Amino acid sequence: MLYFENDYTEGACSAVLEALIRTNGEKLAPYGDDAYSLSAKEKIREICAAPEAEVYFLTGGTQTNKTVIAGMLQSYEGVIAAQTGHINCHEAGAIELSGHKVLALPHRDGKLDAGEVERFLGTFWGDEAHEHMVFPGMVYISHPTEYGTLYTKAELEALSAVCRANNIPLFLDGARIGYGVMTPESDVSLVDIAALCDVFYIGGTKVGALCGEAVVFPRNNAPKHFKTMIKQNGAMLAKSRLVGVQFDALFTDNVYFRIAENAITKACRLRKILAEKNYRFFIDSPTNQIFVILSDEKLAELRKNVVISFWEKLDERHTVVRFATSWATTDEDVDELEKLL
Amino acid sequence: MLYFENDYTEGACSAVLEALIRTNGEKLAPYGDDAYSLSAKEKIREICAAPEAEVYFLTGGTQTNKTVIAGMLQSYEGVIAAQTGHINCHEAGAIELSGHKVLALPHRDGKLDAGEVERFLGTFWGDEAHEHMVFPGMVYISHPTEYGTLYTKAELEALSAVCRANNIPLFLDGARIGYGVMTPESDVSLVDIAALCDVFYIGGTKVGALCGEAVVFPRNNAPKHFKTMIKQNGAMLAKSRLVGVQFDALFTDNVYFRIAENAITKACRLRKILAEKNYRFFIDSPTNQIFVILSDEKLAELRKNVVISFWEKLDERHTVVRFATSWATTDEDVDELEKLL
Amino acid sequence: MLYFENDYTEGACSAVLEALIRTNGEKLAPYGDDAYSLSAKEKIREICAAPEAEVYFLTGGTQTNKTVIAGMLQSYEGVIAAQTGHINCHEAGAIELSGHKVLALPHRDGKLDAGEVERFLGTFWGDEAHEHMVFPGMVYISHPTEYGTLYTKAELEALSAVCRANNIPLFLDGARIGYGVMTPESDVSLVDIAALCDVFYIGGTKVGALCGEAVVFPRNNAPKHFKTMIKQNGAMLAKSRLVGVQFDALFTDNVYFRIAENAITKACRLRKILAEKNYRFFIDSPTNQIFVILSDEKLAELRKNVVISFWEKLDERHTVVRFATSWATTDEDVDELEKLL
Amino acid sequence: MLYFENDYTEGACSAVLEALIRTNGEKLAPYGDDAYSLSAKEKIREICAAPEAEVYFLTGGTQTNKTVIAGMLQSYEGVIAAQTGHINCHEAGAIELSGHKVLALPHRDGKLDAGEVERFLGTFWGDEAHEHMVFPGMVYISHPTEYGTLYTKAELEALSAVCRANNIPLFLDGARIGYGVMTPESDVSLVDIAALCDVFYIGGTKVGALCGEAVVFPRNNAPKHFKTMIKQNGAMLAKSRLVGVQFDALFTDNVYFRIAENAITKACRLRKILAEKNYRFFIDSPTNQIFVILSDEKLAELRKNVVISFWEKLDERHTVVRFATSWATTDEDVDELEKLL
């Protein structure tokens, strides 16, 4: 069986696994004070060119989004997101459970448009009844988006400018940020993100770790007592080494970037194969997720040998599916798939 | 100055005020056990032909929506509402503060369409990832809607059928329900509403009371310990007589319906005048709220003598405004306004 | 039947009722902007000698406690209160529903001791694990307390000093504050309270109004957008005049203080009668609530003619009961009761 | 340096680490559907003699307590716990953040007494004002307790009987349950716990895993859609294999019990040494945590070579400290410590 279902099918990439093995017997401080967490934070500060950054490690994406958003919003504020944003669709209402509305705006290829955000903010502040409405208190974007698309640097700058003009933070969900920065078409680096966003996270779970996300407040701007917020959100591990060791390994010798690059290389090959074979793309996504329209017969046939993700029904006879590559995808996997397509 | 701004500009209608005066010296039990609350509940049961109904009195609309919705939903559930629903737009995120998402669907003249709701529910239950999504746990509608429009009995039956087929309650926000049932074009009575909905409230604040809303669970189907939920939501008055006496007066000698009828009669006259003078209507609303498009010059001129509500800008030179009549509107008010139009 | 059950048995005191009647037909702005609310706020600022004060009107005690406490605390903070505090015992968990822990400390006659609070704060900040604990973010006291007792000015100064030294606000629940300031033994005035507390409320419901509590932030120190917090807590009345008119009447011609004085005068007479007849007092409370120990036979006998409140069982044959006087208690009521005792 | 600080200083025990290495390359389903999670659940059902049990894996203790408690309580309910319970003291208010009060009762050696719980429940239901109070909706105990003490089977049966008579669930926090069941003095097995409790969790983090807790609903009695509750509490791992593989290894060949037994054996040796050397015990705890009173000089001296936990100041010259053993403690560690004591 071939696996192109998602980017969290395997365990840890080899560097991460080796680090866990190597450090297993060490006696380390708990609750975020272990030496590997401290070391990993320093490495992340360097890679982001953000020497003032505060970095916190959590274990998963929904947990991270919830803790960051609830931690930064006032009770009367909500978070602006694309209609297709992960927090709006696939987190089981975690944000609302924490008391805050997701203010959903239309998307373009999964992205929020700075002009749209600006108009929304202008309308809100111009409305005489705005005291009876949810205040927009943050902008949330994902990069890559849920459709595998990427913001350009100009788009990110525009969003950042709108946020700063309105004095609200810009939060970037980087669950797959590694794939984003390693995409050749992209002109956005981690340094850009640290400069333009007020908080973001570097995803581990989907980029080679067993679990773990690194939240970065790039300008020493974490909410007061954020550590206690992590605790009360159930997001603090006693053995914080588990995430600390993994991120320390990921940011040693460019492991994070090298494994992300592998996924991108394989995705490019696969995209080319699909194009040559005249498959129809559902959306033009340059990262490690490829959305393709298949006839239902073709889908049934493929599924005998390949695991891929159902995305949505297009019409009565066609289905949108997702092929995802990862740090673990090999050229042999792509060769095999090519034969089947 | 003439007032057509809203339906809560004056104090109480005369029957309510007189009842408050008459009963003021009586020594009554607190927290919902006063004799007038008990009497008013009985009258509401009769008027709704719902002898099993449980009735609770709260003080305002947002509070009522929040307490009812939070009281009936499970933590993993959200409430379906029209994009334009009051809970989605103008309650400052009260529903989300209680932990629940408003699942906003497109509206038609402020109304939810049963077919749209059915499709949404079908898609949700058909989605393999629905365990990662907010479960639809209730349908919320307002009648009259925020645009003054009304559901037909057939539309209400269709919504009720969809809810029952999916085993979720139908909640009707009746902040202006009196105006709804007294509109000649409407074929929906309180008895119909009690039969088709699982919970609804009869608004007092906007129909002649100083404050107060009566929540009705028509088939003895209130959530367990709903009284304690009211308390913990800060919605319980020590002097529950304040609302009990008012509702008892409103439902004695058809006061509620007679004062609502006055608003409708005056609105009909006004609508006719506006039509004759070729004003453009923004929406066709048969109740006590009339939405009209004015040129900005006309608006400025009118405002010298009349208080009306700004609704929204239509374009650079035109504005949508609302004229509202109420139990207190007189023929003289309409005469005066006619001269100014 | 004689009524000494509580201080919210009747409707409104006459000045309040007359004001409601007199203003009923006036057309007033909604949501807190009516002229009477504005006037009442100004009168409260004067009476408190707090020209910078921000004043907000809500409808009941639990609602007010919840909105104020949730509005002033950070998510990781709790509120210190006496074990017997109303928020800890009789508000159905409203504070916890808003996400915050009540940090209960031992009481002395219903009061918090400044030394006890100081020790608690010292221990918290000295604990190495305090990041895993609830941060103390506010001190809540009631004056009079739930036992009818009063803080001395010295005690209030000590609590205020501890709070300021620790940079946390002092919140005084004044549901019965009128009775407190009119007790001859008390050396604490509204001006003192405004000077020593960071937020407090002046209770209307239990001192002559139909409903309503006035929250005072004495030094222009309300949380940002507190009005929207009121809205999202379901605590905002469309017809804000209802509370505005009442408070305007209460603070005109010293009505509030005169009616409170009546309750105190009657309570003093009753206390004297009880002492002369050798009844045992459960606690020494100088305000309008008197806690007496009765044999169960005496209680059964009295209850044939008098409504009083059960407080708690003392032992198998004795019960603690509460006699409460109010603005409505007459000398004839006390005469009658004297005969029965 | 010697480490007796806690039981989460090292990484994973060898069987767990080996299982993670062995399975790392396997391609497994996410979100709880991986083969190892399924296998581990089956093993837990067998070991608990609870073939109907529903088992869920979460990552840490606070998260588990919060998700279980919030998932099982109604909004108007709180959870009864000992004053010293972990949820009451050291979880940063996580339970309150979810909207529920911890109803703290006095403890005896860290334990709740069934009689005390019964009296509390009786008083609550007997109070006429109980509709204004927090309903007791669950009993929470920890076993071993925060003081390392254990319930006897008789005590657990008594608590279970009180809960069942009052129709509320009994929840056992088993963060260190392995050490509890392997203590020779204990007559309580996992089978007993499954029979007497309504929900409990088997701790992994403190008993040899890198992270992970297994929640067991022994009689197919999980709240509906508990998986979605896990998701919305941010407690679901995409790579659920991480916890599944670990628990599968822990419950293969009795690894869990063998490593727990090691901690108990070492603790017994250490307790004997301390007794022989006339150290004073703060509390009589039979499990892997030993609480000892040291003079401050002795403490300073010891800390040069041993890491132990500060517990609390006893008086001006003495301190209570905790020595903890774990699956990783060796006889050589105890030998070394003996020399230093």
Side-chain angles (χ1 to χ4, degrees):
Chain A
M1 204 69 175
L2 275 176
Y3 287 82
F4 284 87
E5 189 184 11
N6 59 48
D7 36 22
Y8 39 91
T9 300
E10 291 86 8
C13 72
S14 59
V16 164
L17 186 66
E18 280 157 23
L20 286 171
I21 298 168
R22 189 177 64 244
T23 62
N24 187 62
E26 295 182 27
K27 293 165 190 295
L28 296 169
Y31 300 122
D33 296 328
D34 64 282
Y36 292 97
S37 289
L38 302 181
S39 163
K41 288 176 185 197
E42 197 49 39
K43 288 173 181 169
I44 288 171
R45 281 187 204 101
E46 276 170 41
I47 223 89
C48 296
E52 303 282 293
E54 291 172 84
V55 183
Y56 295 90
F57 295 115
L58 287 86
T59 56
T62 297
Q63 184 188 87
T64 301
N65 285 332
K66 178 181 192 165
T67 305
V68 167
I69 292 171
M72 295 192 82
L73 292 184
Q74 298 299 311
S75 73
Y76 51 83
E77 293 178 332
V79 54
I80 294 173
Q83 191 75 44
T84 48
H86 205 254
I87 56 168
N88 194 44
C89 301
H90 286 100
E91 301 194 351
I95 303 306
E96 289 83 3
L97 187 65
S98 78
H100 301 282
K101 192 180 188 72
V102 178
L103 300 158
L105 295 188
H107 73 105
R108 301 186 188 177
D109 297 342
K111 296 192 280 180
L112 266 186
D113 175 70
E116 183 98 46
V117 173
E118 192 168 32
R119 273 188 300 280
F120 179 82
L121 292 169
T123 303
F124 172 80
W125 288 106
D127 191 318
E128 289 173 23
H130 73 262
E131 283 181 324
H132 296 247
M133 294 160 73
V134 175
F135 282 58
M138 176 186 256
V139 171
Y140 163 95
I141 56 173
S142 35
H143 178 85
T145 68
E146 294 72 13
Y147 284 108
T149 54
L150 289 170
Y151 288 86
T152 64
K153 192 167 170 186
E155 288 170 338
L156 208 55
E157 285 170 342
L159 275 168
S160 182
V162 169
C163 287
R164 286 176 189 175
N166 283 275
N167 207 21
I168 58 176
L170 176 60
F171 172 33
L172 183 146
D173 173 336
R176 292 188 169 95
I177 207 170
Y179 304 123
V181 298
M182 296 313 289
T183 294
E185 293 90 325
S186 176
D187 60 351
V188 174
S189 69
L190 276 181
V191 173
D192 297 327
I193 288 169
L196 295 170
C197 297
D198 301 290
V199 56
F200 63 99
Y201 77 86
I202 300 175
T205 303
K206 291 169 180 169
V207 193
L210 284 165
C211 67
E213 324 295 322
V215 177
V216 183
F217 295 94
R219 282 166 295 282
N220 192 21
N221 58 326
K224 219 172 145 186
H225 301 304
F226 191 65
K227 190 171 174 180
T228 300
M229 291 176 181
I230 292 173
K231 176 79 181 182
Q232 66 172 187
N233 276 288
M236 183 179 284
L237 291 179
K239 294 187 181 174
S240 53
R241 66 193 293 150
L242 171 56
V243 181
V245 165
Q246 293 185 86
F247 269 92
D248 193 55
L250 286 171
F251 285 97
T252 300
D253 296 336
N254 289 317
V255 166
Y256 192 76
F257 303 106
R258 285 191 283 122
I259 64 175
E261 191 173 34
N262 177 70
I264 296 301
T265 311
K266 300 303 180 287
C268 287
R269 260 199 72 197
L270 178 53
R271 230 176 337 253
K272 211 171 147 198
I273 291 166
L274 288 160
E276 285 168 3
K277 292 180 184 284
N278 294 315
Y279 280 86
R280 282 164 62 202
F281 293 96
F282 176 65
I283 198 167
D284 184 21
S285 55
T287 59
N288 72 317
Q289 303 182 79
I290 307 173
F291 297 86
V292 174
I293 300 165
L294 297 181
S295 71
D296 291 347
E297 301 81 53
K298 184 70 196 170
L299 174 56
E301 186 198 316
L302 263 184
R303 281 197 158 166
K304 289 175 196 158
N305 299 295
V306 193
V307 185
I308 49 179
S309 284
F310 166 88
W311 209 251
E312 62 187 68
K313 285 294 298 175
L314 188 72
D315 58 37
E316 281 189 20
R317 299 182 43 202
H318 295 84
T319 299
V320 181
V321 299
R322 183 185 69 177
F323 293 84
T325 61
S326 80
W327 57 271
T329 309
T330 61
D331 269 319
E332 289 69 40
D333 293 334
V334 183
D335 292 343
E336 283 292 315
L337 182 56
E338 184 171 13
K339 288 180 208 157
L340 295 165
L341 282 167
Chain B
M1 204 68 175
L2 275 176
Y3 287 83
F4 285 86
E5 191 185 9
N6 58 48
D7 36 23
Y8 40 91
T9 300
E10 292 87 7
C13 71
S14 58
V16 163
L17 186 64
E18 282 157 22
L20 286 171
I21 298 168
R22 190 177 63 244
T23 61
N24 187 62
E26 295 182 27
K27 292 165 191 296
L28 297 169
Y31 299 121
D33 296 328
D34 65 282
Y36 291 96
S37 289
L38 301 182
S39 162
K41 289 177 184 196
E42 195 49 40
K43 288 172 181 169
I44 288 172
R45 281 187 204 102
E46 276 171 40
I47 222 90
C48 295
E52 304 282 294
E54 291 172 84
V55 183
Y56 294 90
F57 295 115
L58 286 87
T59 55
T62 296
Q63 184 188 85
T64 301
N65 285 332
K66 179 180 192 165
T67 306
V68 167
I69 292 171
M72 296 192 81
L73 292 185
Q74 298 298 312
S75 73
Y76 51 85
E77 293 177 332
V79 53
I80 294 173
Q83 190 75 44
T84 49
H86 206 254
I87 57 168
N88 194 44
C89 301
H90 286 99
E91 301 194 351
I95 303 306
E96 290 82 5
L97 187 65
S98 79
H100 300 283
K101 191 179 188 73
V102 178
L103 299 159
L105 295 188
H107 73 105
R108 301 186 188 178
D109 297 342
K111 296 192 279 180
L112 265 187
D113 176 69
E116 183 97 49
V117 173
E118 192 168 32
R119 273 188 299 281
F120 180 82
L121 292 169
T123 303
F124 172 81
W125 288 106
D127 192 318
E128 288 173 25
H130 73 262
E131 282 181 326
H132 297 247
M133 295 161 72
V134 176
F135 282 58
M138 175 186 256
V139 171
Y140 162 97
I141 57 174
S142 36
H143 178 86
T145 69
E146 295 71 16
Y147 284 109
T149 53
L150 291 170
Y151 288 87
T152 63
K153 193 167 168 184
E155 288 170 338
L156 209 55
E157 285 170 341
L159 274 167
S160 183
V162 169
C163 287
R164 287 176 188 175
N166 283 276
N167 207 21
I168 59 175
L170 176 60
F171 172 33
L172 183 146
D173 174 336
R176 293 187 169 96
I177 205 170
Y179 303 124
V181 297
M182 297 312 290
T183 294
E185 292 89 326
S186 176
D187 59 351
V188 174
S189 69
L190 276 181
V191 173
D192 296 328
I193 288 168
L196 295 170
C197 297
D198 300 290
V199 55
F200 62 99
Y201 78 86
I202 300 174
T205 303
K206 291 168 181 169
V207 193
L210 284 164
C211 67
E213 325 294 323
V215 177
V216 183
F217 294 94
R219 281 167 295 282
N220 192 23
N221 58 326
K224 220 172 145 187
H225 301 303
F226 191 64
K227 190 171 174 180
T228 299
M229 291 177 181
I230 292 174
K231 176 79 181 181
Q232 68 172 186
N233 275 288
M236 183 179 283
L237 291 179
K239 295 187 181 175
S240 53
R241 65 192 295 150
L242 170 57
V243 181
V245 165
Q246 293 186 88
F247 269 92
D248 192 56
L250 285 171
F251 285 97
T252 299
D253 297 337
N254 289 317
V255 166
Y256 191 75
F257 302 106
R258 285 190 284 121
I259 63 174
E261 191 174 35
N262 177 70
I264 296 300
T265 311
K266 301 302 180 288
C268 286
R269 259 198 73 197
L270 178 53
R271 230 176 337 252
K272 212 171 147 198
I273 292 166
L274 288 160
E276 285 168 2
K277 292 181 184 283
N278 293 315
Y279 281 85
R280 282 164 62 202
F281 293 95
F282 177 64
I283 198 168
D284 184 21
S285 56
T287 60
N288 71 317
Q289 302 182 79
I290 308 172
F291 297 86
V292 174
I293 299 165
L294 298 181
S295 71
D296 291 348
E297 300 83 53
K298 184 68 195 172
L299 174 56
E301 187 197 316
L302 264 183
R303 280 196 158 168
K304 290 177 194 157
N305 299 295
V306 194
V307 185
I308 47 178
S309 283
F310 167 88
W311 208 250
E312 62 185 68
K313 285 296 297 176
L314 187 72
D315 58 37
E316 280 190 21
R317 299 181 44 200
H318 294 84
T319 299
V320 181
V321 299
R322 182 184 71 177
F323 293 85
T325 62
S326 80
W327 56 272
T329 309
T330 62
D331 270 318
E332 289 68 39
D333 293 335
V334 183
D335 293 344
E336 283 293 316
L337 182 56
E338 184 171 13
K339 288 180 208 154
L340 296 164
L341 283 166
Chain C
M1 205 69 175
L2 276 175
Y3 287 82
F4 284 87
E5 190 186 9
N6 58 48
D7 36 21
Y8 40 90
T9 300
E10 291 87 7
C13 71
S14 58
V16 164
L17 186 64
E18 282 158 21
L20 286 170
I21 299 168
R22 190 178 63 243
T23 62
N24 187 63
E26 295 182 27
K27 292 164 191 297
L28 297 170
Y31 300 121
D33 296 328
D34 64 282
Y36 292 96
S37 289
L38 301 182
S39 163
K41 289 177 185 197
E42 195 49 40
K43 288 173 181 168
I44 288 171
R45 281 188 203 99
E46 277 171 40
I47 222 89
C48 296
E52 304 283 293
E54 292 172 84
V55 184
Y56 295 90
F57 296 116
L58 287 86
T59 55
T62 296
Q63 183 188 86
T64 302
N65 285 332
K66 178 180 191 165
T67 307
V68 168
I69 292 172
M72 296 192 80
L73 292 185
Q74 298 298 312
S75 73
Y76 52 84
E77 293 178 330
V79 53
I80 294 174
Q83 190 75 44
T84 49
H86 205 255
I87 55 168
N88 195 43
C89 299
H90 287 99
E91 301 193 351
I95 304 306
E96 290 82 4
L97 187 64
S98 79
H100 301 283
K101 190 178 189 74
V102 178
L103 299 159
L105 294 188
H107 73 106
R108 301 186 187 177
D109 297 344
K111 295 192 280 182
L112 265 187
D113 176 69
E116 183 97 48
V117 173
E118 193 168 30
R119 271 188 300 281
F120 179 82
L121 292 169
T123 303
F124 172 80
W125 289 107
D127 192 319
E128 288 172 26
H130 74 262
E131 282 181 326
H132 296 247
M133 295 160 71
V134 175
F135 281 58
M138 175 187 257
V139 172
Y140 163 96
I141 57 174
S142 36
H143 178 85
T145 68
E146 293 72 14
Y147 284 109
T149 54
L150 289 169
Y151 287 86
T152 64
K153 193 167 169 185
E155 288 170 340
L156 209 54
E157 286 171 342
L159 275 168
S160 182
V162 169
C163 286
R164 287 176 187 177
N166 283 275
N167 207 20
I168 59 176
L170 177 59
F171 171 32
L172 184 147
D173 173 337
R176 293 187 169 96
I177 206 170
Y179 303 124
V181 297
M182 296 312 289
T183 293
E185 292 90 326
S186 176
D187 61 350
V188 174
S189 69
L190 276 181
V191 173
D192 296 328
I193 288 168
L196 295 170
C197 297
D198 300 290
V199 55
F200 62 99
Y201 78 86
I202 300 174
T205 302
K206 291 169 181 169
V207 193
L210 284 165
C211 68
E213 325 294 321
V215 178
V216 183
F217 294 94
R219 281 167 294 283
N220 193 22
N221 58 326
K224 219 171 144 186
H225 301 304
F226 191 64
K227 190 171 174 181
T228 299
M229 290 177 181
I230 292 174
K231 176 80 181 181
Q232 68 173 184
N233 275 288
M236 183 179 282
L237 292 178
K239 295 188 181 174
S240 53
R241 65 194 292 150
L242 170 57
V243 181
V245 165
Q246 293 186 86
F247 269 92
D248 193 55
L250 286 171
F251 286 97
T252 300
D253 298 336
N254 288 318
V255 166
Y256 191 75
F257 303 106
R258 286 190 284 120
I259 63 173
E261 191 174 35
N262 177 70
I264 297 300
T265 311
K266 300 303 182 287
C268 286
R269 257 198 74 197
L270 178 53
R271 228 172 344 248
K272 210 169 148 199
I273 291 166
L274 288 161
E276 284 167 2
K277 291 182 185 282
N278 293 314
Y279 280 85
R280 282 163 62 201
F281 292 96
F282 176 66
I283 199 168
D284 185 21
S285 57
T287 59
N288 71 317
Q289 302 182 80
I290 308 174
F291 297 86
V292 174
I293 299 164
L294 297 181
S295 71
D296 290 349
E297 301 84 53
K298 186 67 196 174
L299 174 56
E301 188 198 314
L302 264 183
R303 281 195 157 168
K304 290 176 194 157
N305 299 295
V306 194
V307 185
I308 48 179
S309 283
F310 167 88
W311 209 249
E312 62 185 67
K313 285 296 298 177
L314 188 72
D315 58 37
E316 282 191 17
R317 299 182 44 200
H318 295 84
T319 299
V320 181
V321 299
R322 183 184 70 176
F323 292 85
T325 62
S326 80
W327 57 272
T329 309
T330 63
D331 270 319
E332 290 68 40
D333 292 333
V334 182
D335 293 343
E336 281 292 316
L337 181 56
E338 184 171 15
K339 287 180 207 156
L340 295 166
L341 283 165
Chain D
M1 205 68 174
L2 274 175
Y3 287 82
F4 285 87
E5 190 186 9
N6 59 47
D7 36 22
Y8 40 90
T9 300
E10 291 87 8
C13 71
S14 57
V16 164
L17 186 64
E18 281 157 23
L20 286 171
I21 298 168
R22 190 178 62 243
T23 62
N24 187 63
E26 295 182 26
K27 292 165 190 296
L28 297 169
Y31 300 122
D33 296 328
D34 65 282
Y36 292 97
S37 289
L38 302 181
S39 162
K41 288 177 185 196
E42 195 49 39
K43 288 172 181 168
I44 288 172
R45 282 188 203 101
E46 275 170 41
I47 222 90
C48 295
E52 305 282 293
E54 291 172 85
V55 183
Y56 294 91
F57 295 115
L58 287 86
T59 55
T62 295
Q63 184 189 86
T64 302
N65 285 331
K66 179 181 192 164
T67 306
V68 167
I69 292 171
M72 296 193 79
L73 292 184
Q74 298 298 312
S75 73
Y76 51 84
E77 293 178 331
V79 54
I80 294 173
Q83 191 75 44
T84 49
H86 205 254
I87 57 168
N88 195 44
C89 300
H90 286 99
E91 301 193 351
I95 303 305
E96 290 82 4
L97 187 65
S98 79
H100 301 284
K101 192 179 187 73
V102 179
L103 300 159
L105 295 188
H107 73 106
R108 301 186 187 178
D109 296 343
K111 295 192 281 182
L112 266 186
D113 175 70
E116 184 97 47
V117 173
E118 193 168 31
R119 272 189 300 281
F120 180 82
L121 292 169
T123 302
F124 172 81
W125 288 107
D127 192 319
E128 289 173 23
H130 73 262
E131 282 182 325
H132 297 246
M133 295 160 71
V134 176
F135 282 59
M138 174 187 257
V139 171
Y140 163 95
I141 56 174
S142 37
H143 178 85
T145 68
E146 294 72 15
Y147 284 108
T149 54
L150 290 170
Y151 287 86
T152 64
K153 192 168 170 184
E155 288 170 338
L156 209 54
E157 285 171 341
L159 275 168
S160 182
V162 169
C163 287
R164 287 177 186 175
N166 284 275
N167 207 21
I168 58 175
L170 177 60
F171 171 33
L172 185 147
D173 173 337
R176 292 187 169 95
I177 206 170
Y179 303 124
V181 298
M182 296 313 289
T183 294
E185 292 90 326
S186 176
D187 60 351
V188 175
S189 68
L190 275 180
V191 173
D192 296 327
I193 288 168
L196 295 170
C197 297
D198 300 291
V199 55
F200 63 98
Y201 77 87
I202 299 174
T205 303
K206 291 169 181 169
V207 193
L210 283 165
C211 67
E213 325 294 320
V215 178
V216 183
F217 294 94
R219 280 167 296 282
N220 193 21
N221 59 325
K224 220 171 142 185
H225 300 305
F226 191 65
K227 190 170 174 181
T228 300
M229 291 178 182
I230 292 173
K231 176 79 180 180
Q232 69 174 183
N233 276 287
M236 183 180 283
L237 291 179
K239 295 187 181 175
S240 53
R241 66 193 293 150
L242 171 56
V243 182
V245 164
Q246 292 186 86
F247 269 92
D248 192 55
L250 286 171
F251 285 97
T252 300
D253 298 335
N254 288 317
V255 167
Y256 191 75
F257 303 107
R258 285 191 284 121
I259 63 175
E261 191 174 34
N262 177 70
I264 296 300
T265 310
K266 300 303 181 286
C268 287
R269 259 198 72 197
L270 179 52
R271 226 171 346 248
K272 210 171 148 197
I273 291 166
L274 288 160
E276 284 167 3
K277 291 181 183 285
N278 293 314
Y279 280 86
R280 282 164 61 202
F281 293 96
F282 176 65
I283 199 169
D284 185 20
S285 56
T287 59
N288 72 317
Q289 302 183 79
I290 308 173
F291 297 86
V292 174
I293 299 165
L294 296 183
S295 71
D296 290 349
E297 300 83 52
K298 185 68 196 172
L299 174 57
E301 188 198 314
L302 264 183
R303 281 194 158 169
K304 289 176 196 158
N305 299 295
V306 194
V307 185
I308 48 178
S309 283
F310 167 87
W311 208 250
E312 62 186 68
K313 285 296 298 178
L314 187 73
D315 58 38
E316 281 190 18
R317 299 180 44 201
H318 295 84
T319 298
V320 181
V321 298
R322 182 184 70 176
F323 292 84
T325 61
S326 80
W327 58 272
T329 309
T330 62
D331 270 319
E332 290 68 39
D333 292 334
V334 183
D335 293 343
E336 282 293 317
L337 181 57
E338 184 172 14
K339 286 180 208 156
L340 295 166
L341 283 165

